[in-house]
Amino acid sequence: MPLVKTADLVTPGRGIAAFNVITVEHAEAIVAGAEEAGAPVICQISENAVKFHHGRLGPIAAATAAVAAASSAQVALHLDHVTDLALLHRAADHGFGSVMYDGSHHDYAENVTRTAAAVAWAHSRGLWLEAELGEVGGKDGAHAPGVRTDPGEAVSFVAATGVDALAVAVGSSHAMTERTAALDHPLIRALRVALPVPLVLHGSSGVPDHELREAVRDGMVKINIGTALNVAFTGVVRQAVNDHVDPRRYLAPARDAMSGVVAHLLRVIAG
Ligand code: G3H
Ligand code: ZN
C-alpha cells in the first residue's frame, strides 16, 4: 500500500518500531518482517546512510517507498538524525512523513533555536518532527552511557520548540552489538508524565527484549533500531561470502536474517 504518515503510526500508549534502511535489502527485510508480524513499521533513512549513497537522497528513498507500496504492511518513511538543513529541506520532495532534526551536539540554547526553526519549516510542509535533547559531555550525544535527559529541561525544550516527539536519554547507547543495556525505568515514567509528546528511544539494538517490553509499558513509543539488523546481515555474509561469487547467494540469506529480526522485534515492541 502507499506510504502512511508517521504521525498516524506514532500513537501514545502503543509501541512502534523504526528500523534503519541502508540498502534496498534492508527495506525489503523490514517490510517482509512487518508483513510476517502483522504490524505497522517505520523505515528510516539516516543522514549517514544518505552520505553512503553519495549524498543522494532520492534513489534510496524512492526504492524504499516502492518496496512499501508493493507490500500489504503499513509503512511510514522517516529521515533520521539530520544535522544538515539542506538535507532536511529535501525531505518533503521524497515522500517522507517525518524528520528527526538532531541538534543534540549543540548547547541547550542553540539546540532550541535550531530545532524551533526546523519545526517551523517541517510544519509548513506538513511534516512531523522529532528532536533530541542532548547533554554536554556525552561522547555519543544524548545516548552515551550514563547520560540522562532531565525532565524539567525536556518540558522547557518541548514548549520552546513545538516538536512532535522527543528522543530522550534513558540508558541506551547507539551501535551496541550486545543486548546488555539497562534502561532507567523511573526516568521513562517521569518523562512520560511530564511531556505532552511521544517519547523516542534511540540505540535500541542494545536493549534486551524484556527491557523493550517494559519501556513500552512505561511510555516509550517510537523505538529506533539499526545495528541489530546489521549484526544479523553481516553474520550471514561472513559465513557465506567465501563460497559464492554471485552476491544474491549471500545477500538473500542475509536479508532473510534481517527480516527475522524485524518480525521478532515487532512482536516484542508492538505485540
Ligand atoms: O536512530 C537510529 C537508532 O538510534 C539506531 O540505533 O543502531 O544502536 O540500534 P542502533
Ligand atoms: Zn539514533
Side-chain angles (χ1 to χ4, degrees), residues 9-10 19 42 45 54 64 81 120 150 161 169 210 238 245 248:
L9 298 186
V10 184
F19 293 95
I42 297 170
I45 299 170
H54 306 295
T64 304
H81 281 292
D150 175 70
T161 58
H210 69 278
R238 271 197 195 108
V245 169
R248 290 170 292 190

Side-chain angles (χ1 to χ4, degrees), residues 80-139:
D80 201 33
H81 281 292
V82 175
T83 59
D84 174 4
L85 288 179
L87 176 61
L88 178 79
H89 294 163
R90 281 152 64 198
D93 302 327
H94 292 284
F96 290 87
S98 56
V99 180
M100 179 214 185
Y101 174 71
D102 186 351
S104 64
H105 291 277
H106 296 287
D107 65 30
Y108 178 83
E110 187 68 19
N111 192 1
V112 167
T113 303
R114 288 170 182 256
T115 301
V119 169
W121 177 85
H123 288 178
S124 76
R125 306 298 296 260
L127 296 177
W128 181 99
L129 192 124
E130 172 188 334
E132 174 167 316
L133 185 53
E135 185 166 321
V136 176
K139 190 179 166 202

Side-chain angles (χ1 to χ4, degrees), residues 20 44 80-81 100 173-176 201-206 224-228:
N20 284 42
Q44 53 188 21
D80 201 33
H81 281 292
M100 179 214 185
S173 186
H174 278 125
M176 288 178 71
L201 184 67
H202 281 243
S204 307
S205 293
N224 284 11
I225 300 156
T227 302

Side-chain angles (χ1 to χ4, degrees), residues 69-80:
S71 148
S72 59
Q74 281 192 301
V75 182
L77 190 58
H78 176 79
L79 189 58
D80 201 33

Side-chain angles (χ1 to χ4, degrees), residues 29-46:
I30 294 164
V31 168
E35 286 174 352
E36 189 185 327
V41 75
I42 297 170
C43 285
Q44 53 188 21
I45 299 170
S46 71

